[in-house]
C-alpha cells in the first residue's frame, strides 16, 4: 500500500518544541516535493513549509520563519518538521503532502496543541 503517516504531535507548553515526522511507505519520498500544512478549527488549511526533491530547497510561511525547520532523511524515507518556540496560535492538525505530478498523497494528520 502507498501510505504517508504523520507522527510526533501532542500537547506542549508555549515555548516548547516538537518534531513531526512524515514517513512514506510504498514509494520513495526522495522523488517528491513534500509539504507540511496545518488547519485550525474554523480556518482554512494553510501551507507551513515545503522541501523540494532535488536540491532540497525550502520554503516557510512568514509566521514560522526562524522557529520551524524542515529536513529530509532519505535513508529513512522520512521528512521532518522541527518546531521550536511554539505558540498557542500554532495549535492545529498538521498534515503532510507528497507531490510528484500527477501524483499527490496526503497523510491523515497529527494534532499539535500548544497550551498552558
Amino acid at each position: 500500500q502507498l501510505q504517508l503517516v504523520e507522527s510526533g504531535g501532542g500537547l506542549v507548553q508555549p515555548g516548547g518544541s516538537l518534531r513531526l515526522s512524515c514517513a512514506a511507505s510504498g514509494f520513495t519520498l526522495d522523488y517528491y516535493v513534500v509539504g507540511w500544512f496545518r488547519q485550525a478549527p474554523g480556518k482554512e488549511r494553510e501551507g507551513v513549509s515545503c522541501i523540494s526533491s532535488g536540491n532540497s530547497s525550502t520554503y516557510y510561511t512568514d509566521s514560522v520563519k526562524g522557529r520551524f525547520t524542515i529536513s529530509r532523511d532519505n535513508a529513512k524515507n522520512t521528512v521532518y518538521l522541527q518546531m521550536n518556540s511554539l505558540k498557542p496560535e500554532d495549535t492545529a492538525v498538521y498534515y503532510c503532502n507528497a507531490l510528484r505530478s500527477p501524483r499527490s498523497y496526503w497523510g491523515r494528520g497529527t494534532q499539535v496543541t500548544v497550551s498552558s
Side-chain angles (χ1 to χ4, degrees):
Q1 292 181 330
L2 303 178
Q3 190 170 275
L4 206 59
V5 178
E6 305 95 334
S7 62
L11 175 64
V12 65
Q13 293 184 342
S17 298
L18 287 172
R19 188 179 73 161
L20 305 184
S21 298
C22 175
S25 60
F27 66 101
T28 301
L29 199 57
D30 185 38
Y31 300 135
Y32 289 74
V33 176
V34 177
W36 284 98
F37 299 77
R38 66 186 181 187
Q39 188 165 25
K43 298 182 65 177
E44 295 182 346
R45 185 173 297 188
E46 66 170 340
V48 176
S49 181
C50 66
I51 185 167
S52 68
S53 62
N55 60 1
S56 295
S57 61
T58 58
Y59 161 84
Y60 303 93
T61 193
D62 287 344
S63 64
V64 308
K65 286 180 179 177
R67 300 189 297 121
F68 291 11
T69 303
I70 191 170
S71 63
R72 290 180 178 268
D73 188 336
N74 292 334
K76 296 181 178 180
N77 209 24
T78 299
V79 168
Y80 302 99
L81 184 67
Q82 178 67 46
M83 305 186 296
N84 299 325
S85 302
L86 283 163
K87 305 174 181 179
E89 49 263 46
D90 295 318
T91 296
V93 178
Y94 283 71
Y95 299 90
C96 181
N97 175 261
L99 172 65
R100 187 191 183 196
S101 186
R103 301 176 182 87
S104 179
Y105 304 112
W106 286 94
R108 55 185 172 86
T110 185
Q111 176 72 51
V112 172
T113 302
V114 185
S115 176
S116 298

